[in-house]
Structures are given as C-alpha cells and as structure tokens.
Amino acid sequence: MSSIQSEIQHICASLPEGVQLVAVSKFHPEEAIMQAYEAGQRVFGESHVQELQRKHDALPGDIEWHFIGHLQTNKVKYIAPYVSLIHAIDTPRLLAEVSRQGLKCGRRIPCLLQLHVAREETKFGFTPDEAEEFLRGGEWRQMEGAELCGIMCMASLTDDEEQIASEFDVAHQFFLHARDTYFSDQPSFCQCSWGMSDDYPIAVLHGATLVRIGSKIFGQRQY
Ligand SMILES: *Cc1c(COP(=O)(O)O)cnc(C)c1O
C-alpha cells in the first residue's frame, strides 16, 4: 500500500461520523489522485480552474470535484457543468454568476459562503456582519441556479490552537444562526467546511462536516 493510501485510510478512520474528507489534490499529478481513488476516496478538492478541467477530463467520472479556492467570476462557466460543490463564495457577485451559469446548465450548483474569521487581512470572504447583511437582504433566494449549503472558513496561520478553535467557533456559531434564521426550511443547508492538514483535528471538535486535507495525504506541493 502506498503512503497516500495509508494516509487516506488513517484520516478516514479518525474522522467522526458525519465528517467527510475532501482530498485536496491541487498541484499533484493524476497518478497521485488515482492512488487515493483506489483507496476508495471519491471527493477531491482543486483550486485552479484549468488544472481542474484537465483532471476532470482525464479521471474517472464518479469523482466528485470540489472547487475550494478563490474563484474568479469569469471562470465559473468552465466548471459549472460538473462541479459538485463550490466552497468559497466570497462576494454576492460571484454567487450571482454561479447561479447564472447553473441555470444555463439546468442545475442548481451547491455553494458555501466563505466567512472571514482569521486575523490576516488578505484572506477572502464575508465578515460575519457582511454575511448577515447579505443573507438578510434575501436576493440570494432568487438565484435559482445556486444553492447555499453552508459555511466555509480558513483559520489564521498560527500554532495557537486556542486562537484557531475560537475562529472555528465563530464560524460555527454563524452557521447555526444562519441555519435557524434563514434556512429553517432548507435541510440542505448543513455543511461546515473547515480544517486543513495542520488544524483538522481542532476543526472536527468545532463543528466541521467537511475537512479539506492536502499535504498530509499527498506530501508537499511542487509549485
Ligand atoms: C490548499 C488548500 C487546502 C489544503 O491545505 P493543506 O494544508 O495542504 O492540507 C485546504 N483549503 C484550501 C482553501 C486550500 O487552498
């Protein structure tokens, strides 16, 4: 068994029920993805449109492709026909475009709102106040080619585990509030995407339902 396969098995065995692994395969070759696939992994995360297109065309059709990174509005159309989940909706404009492209393909594309909870200024996403305002505004209800299914965030890059836990808690509290306030008639609003290689054990203790793990499975990325 390869190290990729044993990592996948080890991580999956350690995740509590209800938490799903998104194997982040960006910058790793198709052969590496196929090793994970042969270990039973079917959900993969990518963050560059061209790379995702290439892998989607080359690899088995039963893979669920998640787009996890910052998505440019003008590139939504390339992935709209097949993407299973867009994790990082960071502006109302992006959600509107996803909806437009979803309608063109005759589908509702599942999406998560990216919440900015980290200390870093540069991270994308809605602040909790901006997200609240956006949800309260209600325009998203008319965007029928996109379906809001939950919240995504990234914690600060720090070794301070309490800091990381408190950021995940902010996102989780927001998720619970949004679910009860705006989505009480929508059971599909149920996903919390947080936790990466270094912080996913904290994430699963703080509400995560999807963990996005790359380097722990595939090794360091070659940029
Ligand atoms: C690359 C990436 C990950 C995975 O990071 P690792 O530290 O390699 O596990 C998770 N989420 C997003 C948004 C990423 O871009």
Side-chain angles (χ1 to χ4, degrees):
M1 194 164 51
S2 74
S3 66
I4 290 175
Q5 291 173 332
S6 58
E7 275 301 337
I8 294 262
Q9 290 183 355
H10 170 78
I11 292 167
C12 288
S14 76
L15 293 177
E17 201 171 314
V19 182
Q20 197 179 29
L21 169 64
V22 180
V24 175
S25 47
K26 65 188 184 196
F27 296 104
H28 291 286
E30 286 146 22
E31 302 79 68
I33 297 177
M34 281 312 295
Q35 287 187 28
Y37 182 90
E38 280 154 19
Q41 182 65 25
R42 291 294 180 274
V43 182
F44 292 90
E46 292 281 339
S47 60
H48 291 89
V49 168
Q50 264 190 319
E51 183 180 354
L52 172 53
Q53 287 285 89
R54 195 185 74 233
K55 290 173 173 174
H56 169 260
D57 290 346
L59 292 167
D62 63 344
I63 289 179
E64 284 180 37
W65 294 104
H66 288 197
F67 197 87
I68 61 167
H70 173 63
L71 178 57
Q72 286 173 272
T73 309
N74 63 355
K75 294 194 173 160
V76 174
K77 57 179 177 284
Y78 301 112
I79 62 171
Y82 63 85
V83 68
S84 292
L85 182 64
I86 297 176
H87 284 237
I89 298 293
D90 54 9
T91 59
R93 196 168 90 92
L94 178 60
L95 189 67
E97 175 61 9
V98 170
S99 175
R100 209 169 71 83
Q101 296 299 334
L103 287 173
K104 268 196 188 171
C105 306
R107 58 185 300 237
R108 284 194 91 183
I109 301 174
C111 293
L112 308 178
L113 280 190
Q114 181 175 8
L115 212 58
H116 178 110
V117 294
R119 284 182 184 146
E120 287 103 26
E121 299 262 315
T122 54
K123 294 255 167 82
F124 294 102
F126 293 82
T127 65
D129 283 349
E130 289 165 348
E132 177 75 42
E133 191 186 318
F134 175 64
L135 291 175
R136 195 184 317 117
E139 269 178 54
W140 53 275
R141 293 185 194 274
Q142 272 77 58
M143 298 178 187
E144 293 185 336
E147 180 173 35
L148 287 176
C149 295
I151 300 295
M152 174 271 201
C153 77
M154 292 171 84
S156 297
L157 284 172
T158 172
D159 293 332
D160 182 346
E161 299 198 349
E162 280 179 32
Q163 173 72 21
I164 293 170
S166 78
E167 292 172 358
F168 290 151
D169 278 337
V170 168
H172 193 225
Q173 289 306 315
F174 185 86
F175 164 78
L176 294 172
H177 159 74
R179 186 190 65 186
D180 296 345
T181 309
Y182 302 107
F183 297 92
S184 53
D185 57 346
Q186 243 180 269
S188 54
F189 189 87
C190 63
Q191 300 289 7
C192 293
S193 169
W194 45 83
M196 317 197 332
S197 290
D198 291 335
D199 58 16
Y200 80 90
I202 305 173
V204 300
L205 297 175
H206 295 268
T209 62
L210 294 167
V211 290
R212 310 178 308 265
I213 302 180
S215 45
K216 185 170 164 59
I217 298 170
F218 295 107
Q220 288 307 311
R221 290 177 280 273
Q222 307 289 319
Y223 289 97

